[in-house]
Short mmCIF file of all heavy atoms in Angstrom, two decimals:
data_model
loop_
_atom_site.label_atom_id
_atom_site.label_comp_id
_atom_site.label_asym_id
_atom_site.label_seq_id
_atom_site.Cartn_x
_atom_site.Cartn_y
_atom_site.Cartn_z
N LEU B 1 -71.26 -131.34 46.30
CA LEU B 1 -70.76 -130.02 46.71
C LEU B 1 -70.74 -129.07 45.52
O LEU B 1 -71.08 -127.90 45.64
CB LEU B 1 -69.37 -130.14 47.31
CG LEU B 1 -69.25 -130.91 48.63
CD1 LEU B 1 -67.81 -130.93 49.11
CD2 LEU B 1 -70.17 -130.32 49.71
N GLY B 2 -70.37 -129.59 44.35
CA GLY B 2 -70.38 -128.78 43.14
C GLY B 2 -71.79 -128.43 42.71
O GLY B 2 -72.08 -127.27 42.36
N LEU B 3 -72.70 -129.40 42.77
CA LEU B 3 -74.09 -129.17 42.35
C LEU B 3 -74.77 -128.12 43.21
O LEU B 3 -75.60 -127.35 42.74
CB LEU B 3 -74.87 -130.48 42.42
CG LEU B 3 -74.56 -131.56 41.39
CD1 LEU B 3 -75.31 -132.84 41.72
CD2 LEU B 3 -74.92 -131.09 39.99
N PHE B 4 -74.42 -128.09 44.50
CA PHE B 4 -75.08 -127.19 45.44
C PHE B 4 -74.29 -125.91 45.69
O PHE B 4 -74.60 -125.15 46.60
CB PHE B 4 -75.34 -127.90 46.77
CG PHE B 4 -76.08 -129.21 46.65
CD1 PHE B 4 -75.93 -130.21 47.59
CD2 PHE B 4 -76.94 -129.45 45.57
CE1 PHE B 4 -76.61 -131.42 47.48
CE2 PHE B 4 -77.63 -130.65 45.45
CZ PHE B 4 -77.45 -131.64 46.40
N GLY B 5 -73.25 -125.65 44.85
CA GLY B 5 -72.49 -124.41 44.94
C GLY B 5 -71.63 -124.29 46.18
O GLY B 5 -71.43 -123.17 46.69
N LEU B 6 -71.09 -125.41 46.66
CA LEU B 6 -70.34 -125.41 47.91
C LEU B 6 -68.86 -125.73 47.75
O LEU B 6 -68.13 -125.78 48.74
CB LEU B 6 -70.97 -126.42 48.89
CG LEU B 6 -72.40 -126.10 49.36
CD1 LEU B 6 -73.02 -127.34 50.00
CD2 LEU B 6 -72.39 -124.94 50.34
N THR B 7 -68.43 -125.96 46.51
CA THR B 7 -67.06 -126.40 46.28
C THR B 7 -66.02 -125.48 46.90
O THR B 7 -65.04 -125.93 47.50
CB THR B 7 -66.80 -126.54 44.77
OG1 THR B 7 -67.71 -127.51 44.23
CG2 THR B 7 -65.37 -126.99 44.50
N ASP B 8 -66.23 -124.18 46.78
CA ASP B 8 -65.23 -123.21 47.25
C ASP B 8 -65.44 -122.79 48.70
O ASP B 8 -64.63 -122.02 49.25
CB ASP B 8 -65.24 -121.96 46.35
CG ASP B 8 -64.84 -122.29 44.92
OD1 ASP B 8 -64.02 -123.20 44.73
OD2 ASP B 8 -65.38 -121.63 44.00
N THR B 9 -66.50 -123.28 49.33
CA THR B 9 -66.79 -122.82 50.69
C THR B 9 -66.60 -123.90 51.75
O THR B 9 -66.55 -123.60 52.95
CB THR B 9 -68.22 -122.28 50.79
OG1 THR B 9 -69.15 -123.32 50.47
CG2 THR B 9 -68.42 -121.11 49.84
N VAL B 10 -66.52 -125.16 51.32
CA VAL B 10 -66.34 -126.27 52.26
C VAL B 10 -64.86 -126.64 52.33
O VAL B 10 -64.18 -126.74 51.31
CB VAL B 10 -67.17 -127.49 51.83
CG1 VAL B 10 -66.78 -128.73 52.65
CG2 VAL B 10 -68.66 -127.21 52.00
N LYS B 11 -64.36 -126.84 53.53
CA LYS B 11 -62.98 -127.27 53.71
C LYS B 11 -62.95 -128.80 53.73
O LYS B 11 -63.67 -129.43 54.50
CB LYS B 11 -62.43 -126.73 55.04
CG LYS B 11 -62.49 -125.22 55.17
CD LYS B 11 -62.12 -124.78 56.59
CE LYS B 11 -62.30 -123.28 56.77
NZ LYS B 11 -62.02 -122.86 58.18
N LEU B 12 -62.09 -129.37 52.87
CA LEU B 12 -62.00 -130.83 52.79
C LEU B 12 -60.85 -131.34 53.63
O LEU B 12 -59.71 -130.88 53.48
CB LEU B 12 -61.83 -131.27 51.33
CG LEU B 12 -62.99 -130.92 50.38
CD1 LEU B 12 -62.69 -131.46 49.00
CD2 LEU B 12 -64.31 -131.48 50.91
N ALA B 13 -61.14 -132.28 54.51
CA ALA B 13 -60.10 -132.86 55.37
C ALA B 13 -59.27 -133.86 54.57
O ALA B 13 -59.82 -134.65 53.80
CB ALA B 13 -60.74 -133.55 56.57
N GLU B 14 -57.96 -133.83 54.76
CA GLU B 14 -57.06 -134.76 54.09
C GLU B 14 -56.88 -135.99 54.97
O GLU B 14 -55.95 -136.09 55.75
CB GLU B 14 -55.71 -134.09 53.81
CG GLU B 14 -55.78 -132.98 52.77
CD GLU B 14 -56.11 -133.51 51.38
OE1 GLU B 14 -55.74 -134.67 51.09
OE2 GLU B 14 -56.75 -132.79 50.59
N ALA B 15 -57.80 -136.93 54.86
CA ALA B 15 -57.73 -138.14 55.67
C ALA B 15 -58.55 -139.24 54.99
O ALA B 15 -59.38 -138.96 54.12
CB ALA B 15 -58.25 -137.88 57.08
N GLU B 16 -58.29 -140.47 55.39
CA GLU B 16 -59.04 -141.60 54.86
C GLU B 16 -60.37 -141.73 55.59
O GLU B 16 -60.50 -141.35 56.77
CB GLU B 16 -58.24 -142.89 55.03
CG GLU B 16 -56.93 -142.93 54.26
CD GLU B 16 -57.13 -142.89 52.75
OE1 GLU B 16 -58.21 -143.35 52.28
OE2 GLU B 16 -56.22 -142.42 52.04
N LEU B 17 -61.36 -142.29 54.90
CA LEU B 17 -62.69 -142.43 55.49
C LEU B 17 -62.64 -143.33 56.73
O LEU B 17 -63.47 -143.19 57.64
CB LEU B 17 -63.66 -143.01 54.46
CG LEU B 17 -65.13 -143.08 54.86
CD1 LEU B 17 -65.69 -141.69 55.17
CD2 LEU B 17 -65.97 -143.76 53.78
N SER B 18 -61.69 -144.24 56.79
CA SER B 18 -61.57 -145.12 57.95
C SER B 18 -61.30 -144.34 59.24
O SER B 18 -61.52 -144.84 60.35
CB SER B 18 -60.46 -146.16 57.73
OG SER B 18 -59.23 -145.52 57.47
N ASN B 19 -60.81 -143.12 59.10
CA ASN B 19 -60.53 -142.27 60.27
C ASN B 19 -61.68 -141.33 60.62
O ASN B 19 -61.56 -140.53 61.56
CB ASN B 19 -59.27 -141.43 60.02
CG ASN B 19 -58.05 -142.29 59.78
OD1 ASN B 19 -57.88 -143.32 60.41
ND2 ASN B 19 -57.18 -141.86 58.86
N ALA B 20 -62.78 -141.42 59.88
CA ALA B 20 -63.85 -140.42 60.00
C ALA B 20 -64.48 -140.38 61.38
O ALA B 20 -64.68 -139.30 61.95
CB ALA B 20 -64.92 -140.68 58.95
N VAL B 21 -64.82 -141.53 61.93
CA VAL B 21 -65.53 -141.53 63.21
C VAL B 21 -64.66 -140.95 64.32
O VAL B 21 -65.12 -140.10 65.10
CB VAL B 21 -65.98 -142.96 63.57
CG1 VAL B 21 -66.58 -142.99 64.97
CG2 VAL B 21 -66.99 -143.48 62.55
N ALA B 22 -63.40 -141.36 64.38
CA ALA B 22 -62.50 -140.82 65.40
C ALA B 22 -62.31 -139.32 65.23
O ALA B 22 -62.31 -138.56 66.21
CB ALA B 22 -61.15 -141.54 65.33
N ALA B 23 -62.14 -138.88 63.98
CA ALA B 23 -61.94 -137.45 63.72
C ALA B 23 -63.18 -136.64 64.08
O ALA B 23 -63.08 -135.50 64.56
CB ALA B 23 -61.59 -137.24 62.24
N LEU B 24 -64.35 -137.22 63.86
CA LEU B 24 -65.60 -136.53 64.21
C LEU B 24 -65.71 -136.40 65.73
O LEU B 24 -66.05 -135.32 66.25
CB LEU B 24 -66.80 -137.31 63.65
CG LEU B 24 -68.17 -136.62 63.79
CD1 LEU B 24 -68.32 -135.56 62.71
CD2 LEU B 24 -69.30 -137.64 63.68
N LYS B 25 -65.42 -137.47 66.43
CA LYS B 25 -65.59 -137.47 67.88
C LYS B 25 -64.62 -136.53 68.58
O LYS B 25 -64.96 -135.92 69.60
CB LYS B 25 -65.43 -138.90 68.41
CG LYS B 25 -66.59 -139.81 68.04
CD LYS B 25 -66.44 -141.19 68.64
CE LYS B 25 -67.64 -142.06 68.31
NZ LYS B 25 -67.54 -143.42 68.89
N ASN B 26 -63.38 -136.41 68.03
CA ASN B 26 -62.42 -135.53 68.72
C ASN B 26 -62.42 -134.10 68.18
O ASN B 26 -61.57 -133.29 68.55
CB ASN B 26 -61.00 -136.12 68.67
CG ASN B 26 -60.46 -136.25 67.25
OD1 ASN B 26 -60.82 -135.50 66.37
ND2 ASN B 26 -59.58 -137.23 67.05
N GLY B 27 -63.39 -133.80 67.29
CA GLY B 27 -63.57 -132.43 66.84
C GLY B 27 -62.65 -131.97 65.73
O GLY B 27 -62.63 -130.79 65.39
N GLN B 28 -61.92 -132.90 65.09
CA GLN B 28 -61.05 -132.52 63.97
C GLN B 28 -61.84 -132.15 62.73
O GLN B 28 -61.37 -131.38 61.89
CB GLN B 28 -60.08 -133.66 63.65
CG GLN B 28 -59.00 -133.89 64.70
CD GLN B 28 -58.12 -135.05 64.33
OE1 GLN B 28 -58.53 -136.21 64.33
NE2 GLN B 28 -56.87 -134.75 64.00
N ILE B 29 -63.02 -132.73 62.58
CA ILE B 29 -63.88 -132.44 61.44
C ILE B 29 -65.29 -132.14 61.94
O ILE B 29 -65.66 -132.51 63.07
CB ILE B 29 -63.94 -133.61 60.43
CG1 ILE B 29 -64.46 -134.89 61.12
CG2 ILE B 29 -62.57 -133.85 59.79
CD1 ILE B 29 -64.67 -136.07 60.18
N ASP B 30 -66.06 -131.46 61.10
CA ASP B 30 -67.46 -131.19 61.44
C ASP B 30 -68.39 -132.29 60.94
O ASP B 30 -69.51 -132.43 61.44
CB ASP B 30 -67.89 -129.85 60.82
CG ASP B 30 -67.11 -128.68 61.40
OD1 ASP B 30 -67.11 -128.51 62.63
OD2 ASP B 30 -66.46 -127.95 60.61
#
């Protein structure tokens, strides 16, 4: 994100990676 100039434009979700699939499916994250 830093290399591609996205650090200040991407919103980071405060969650563990183990929750990623569920969060993706229910629309909590992109």
Side-chain angles (χ1 to χ4, degrees):
L1 294 180
L3 289 173
F4 306 153
L6 295 165
T7 300
D8 297 327
T9 61
V10 169
K11 303 172 185 176
L12 298 182
E14 292 293 329
E16 297 295 333
L17 187 60
S18 57
N19 299 322
V21 174
L24 187 79
K25 289 183 177 181
N26 63 29
Q28 289 178 291
I29 59 175
D30 297 304

